[in-house]
Amino acid sequence: MNKIKFSLLGKRTFLISFLAGTLLWVLFLITHSDFLVMIGFYYVLTAIVANVIILLHELIVFITNVSEEKASGNSVLLLLANIPIALIYLFILAN
């Protein structure tokens, strides 16, 4: 069975975005600090811009890469996984 490969840039971007967002979310659930809401809002805006730039880069690499290895295509899917995770966090915070 083949191991799924991801580009290093895509994997790191996913992990940093996911871990930073989760940390902010958990800290807010523990403290209910308005300061964390403000920081989280600016983090989400920054993360959206960074993730879209990396996503577009990975998509361009995937489309232009003619080799059999398509690690960048897997990374696109990995980066897109951040969207439902963020929506779940938002839904939990709203309730």
Side-chain angles (χ1 to χ4, degrees):
M1 185 168 184
N2 293 336
K3 186 177 179 182
I4 298 175
K5 295 180 182 178
F6 300 100
S7 71
L8 187 59
L9 179 63
K11 186 171 27 173
R12 283 186 180 168
T13 304
F14 169 79
L15 286 174
I16 291 169
S17 293
F18 176 75
L19 293 175
T22 301
L23 178 67
L24 282 170
W25 181 67
V26 168
L27 286 175
F28 173 76
L29 290 178
I30 293 170
T31 64
H32 296 288
S33 169
D34 290 336
F35 177 72
L36 284 174
V37 172
M38 185 178 65
I39 294 296
F41 175 74
Y42 288 114
Y43 166 73
V44 168
L45 291 178
T46 305
I48 288 171
V49 171
N51 278 302
V52 166
I53 290 170
I54 301 300
L55 179 79
L56 290 174
H57 168 75
E58 293 291 332
L59 195 56
I60 290 168
V61 170
F62 175 71
I63 291 171
T64 59
N65 187 358
V66 293
S67 71
E68 288 296 317
E69 289 193 22
K70 297 286 189 169
S72 56
N74 294 332
S75 295
V76 167
L77 296 175
L78 189 63
L79 288 167
L80 287 174
N82 272 332
I83 296 170
I85 293 169
L87 291 175
I88 290 169
Y89 288 174
L90 180 65
F91 178 75
I92 292 171
L93 286 176
N95 292 328

